[in-house]
Amino acid sequence: MSFLVLLLAVWIEKFSALRHRIQRDGGWVRELHKLEVSPRLANRPWLILVILVLLPVALLGLLLVVLEPVAYGLMALPVHLLVVIYSLGRGDLLAGLGPFRDAWRREDLQAAAHVAKRDLDICADSGEQLLERVQGHLLWEAYQSFFAVIFWYFLLGPVAALSYRLLALAEEHGQNLAVVERAAQLRHAFDWVPVRLLAASFALVGNFVAVSRVMLHELLNWNISAAQLIEKVGLVAGEIPAPVVGPDGINSLDRIWELLLRAAVLWYAGFALWTVLP
């Protein structure tokens, strides 16, 4: 059922607006802010995460335990699908890059810097640095929005996928520094395996030798963040040249996207093979 859910999730994401109707975080974020300023909980970040992350996933797990035996698991299928869609990243990654791509193609660095700050929350001291950060943004957002979620769903089911997204929301929207730090620590642990698996996938669909050189030093490095690792590996795997202004710079983003698509196909092929094996 996991592979079917992943196929349906991709189809719905590409051809339906259902994802945007499901991904409503306003109520959860309001509760997060309310608990962060509560006199009883403000200094107890772990308890806040227990209430807003552990409790919802525990309730989800209980619901699935009840539904799984019914009708050979068919009653649980919609729940799996809704949870996976909710757990995917927010926004449209390619659409968000559109204004930046247009400005960069025109070689309008001032407009590119403006839309990068407005749409991507990215600032830089130079045009070259700006493009490098946008390239890193594309790799990181694709990883955390899609690859990390489908990895944990396929491995441990919807409970793990939902846990990852709720931790990401706590890190992104938290206003209490202690809560943000604890959520980031847990998310770092969640990211450790899937980001290295994606790096290995880049080696298979990109420049194997260059990726191997990077991973030789970073494979067991606990201190490097997932964003840093996936950027380093993605750029060498795709053989991305030095940043340049104009259409050639946009071509580097296209090459990164093609690398991500090849890795996604590889993952789905692996999931399919694992599903049919006895």
Side-chain angles (χ1 to χ4, degrees):
M1 184 171 68
S2 296
F3 185 64
L4 174 61
V5 169
L6 291 176
L7 287 177
L8 291 173
V10 170
W11 185 86
I12 290 173
E13 181 186 12
K14 297 302 180 184
F15 303 107
S16 169
L18 179 62
R19 172 184 170 187
H20 302 293
R21 292 198 293 267
I22 293 174
Q23 293 179 336
R24 304 294 181 94
D25 305 318
W28 190 91
V29 172
R30 283 193 296 271
E31 288 301 316
L32 171 64
H33 294 164
K34 188 184 302 182
L35 294 180
E36 286 178 322
V37 299
S38 169
R40 298 175 57 188
L41 298 176
N43 296 320
R44 306 176 71 180
W46 286 117
L47 184 56
I48 293 176
L49 292 178
V50 166
I51 295 172
L52 290 177
V53 178
L54 184 59
L55 182 58
V57 300
L59 293 175
L60 173 63
L62 180 61
L63 175 63
L64 292 173
V65 167
V66 174
L67 293 179
E68 289 289 353
V70 180
Y72 302 99
L74 291 179
M75 294 295 292
L77 178 62
V79 177
H80 280 242
L81 185 58
L82 290 174
V83 171
V84 169
I85 293 173
Y86 177 80
S87 300
L88 295 174
R90 275 43 180 162
D92 188 322
L93 182 54
L94 288 183
L97 288 173
F100 174 83
R101 290 170 60 94
D102 293 338
W104 195 267
R105 186 179 290 108
R106 298 193 310 267
E107 303 185 15
D108 187 344
L109 296 183
Q110 184 176 1
H114 172 71
V115 297
K117 174 60 178 176
R118 183 194 66 193
D119 300 338
L120 311 176
D121 196 24
I122 294 175
C123 297
D125 297 327
S126 65
E128 291 77 9
Q129 187 183 69
L130 180 62
L131 182 59
E132 288 178 345
R133 291 188 177 179
V134 172
Q135 292 169 347
H137 169 84
L138 176 57
L139 286 162
W140 164 247
E141 288 298 322
Y143 161 76
Q144 71 89 22
S145 295
F146 180 72
F147 288 96
V149 173
I150 66 171
F151 170 84
W152 284 115
Y153 172 73
F154 193 81
L155 186 68
L156 296 177
V159 168
L162 181 61
S163 299
Y164 182 85
R165 184 50 55 201
L166 293 181
L167 287 173
L169 291 172
E171 183 182 1
E172 179 181 354
H173 296 287
Q175 297 176 344
N176 183 315
L177 183 59
V179 173
V180 173
E181 289 178 349
R182 302 306 187 278
Q185 291 171 2
L186 292 173
R187 192 182 181 190
H188 179 69
F190 265 89
D191 282 326
W192 203 86
V193 173
V195 76
R196 283 158 177 77
L197 182 60
L198 181 57
S201 305
F202 283 169
L204 296 177
V205 300
N207 188 323
F208 183 88
V209 175
V211 173
S212 299
R213 292 196 189 101
V214 175
M215 293 304 296
L216 183 64
H217 300 286
E218 306 294 357
L219 180 62
L220 300 179
N221 183 2
W222 176 261
N223 295 318
I224 187 172
S225 70
Q228 292 172 326
L229 180 60
I230 205 61
E231 180 178 355
K232 291 177 65 174
V233 174
L235 294 180
V236 298
E239 300 177 328
I240 306 303
V244 293
V245 180
D248 289 340
I250 297 302
N251 183 55
S252 69
L253 297 177
D254 294 334
R255 292 174 65 174
I256 290 173
W257 187 250
E258 291 169 1
L259 177 73
L260 291 165
L261 290 178
R262 294 197 299 271
V265 171
L266 179 64
W267 277 39
Y268 268 75
F271 292 154
L273 184 62
W274 184 267
T275 301
V276 300
L277 287 177

